[in-house]
Structure formats: C-alpha cells, structure tokens
Amino acid sequence: MSSVVTYYPGYSQQQVQENLRCQTIESVTNASPCVVTTVNDHGYPAGVKVRFLIPTQFGMFQLNLVNTQVIAVTLNTLTLDLDSTNFDVFSYPNPLPS
C-alpha cells in the first residue's frame, strides 16, 4: 500500500493512505482475541493493519484510534491481535446520534 502527501491550503501537510476502506461495525467482542463483526462483507485480508474510530456514545472507547493487526477473517468478521476483555461493552446508542 502506497501513501501520498496531500496539501491543504492553510493547514500542515497530512499523510494520506491510498486504498482505505471504511466499514460499519455491527458488534465487537470483549475477548482475547477481539472479534469485530462488520455490517457488510469487509474484503480485508488477514495480516492487514486496521485503525478504529469509535465515537464515545458507542462505548468501548478503549478501541478508539487503536492500530492493530487482523490475524484471521471470515466474510464479515475480523479477528484482531488484541485483548479487549477489560474494555467497555460496544453498543449502538438509542437514539443514534446525527
């Protein structure tokens, strides 16, 4: 995966990775290893590194901005090289934030 530097007027340069994929999370286990289930087939291969953006309203704030490696996959699950046993529970807030 290659990277490019993008320049934004008035801002410092920002490193941007090409071919990024964003996925919607359906659930995350409190386990070792941690397993993330996505809403759709994710298309990630085992061995790829992933980073999470978890809004505080969804719980499991400990996963926010974490970079970790995917050690196994199915069509809609990612098994991570991460112990989430002591993390807060991931859940969708009701109502969903706008």
Side-chain angles (χ1 to χ4, degrees), residues 2-18 20 51 53:
S2 63
S3 63
V4 296
V5 176
T6 303
Y7 295 94
Y8 296 98
Y11 295 93
S12 61
Q13 60 187 3
Q14 178 179 346
Q15 190 79 14
V16 178
Q17 298 291 326
E18 293 180 3
L20 289 180
R51 182 175 186 165
L53 299 172

Side-chain angles (χ1 to χ4, degrees), residues 21-35:
R21 292 184 190 162
C22 293
Q23 293 293 324
T24 302
I25 296 172
E26 182 175 302
S27 64
V28 183
T29 63
N30 289 88
S32 181
C34 177
V35 177

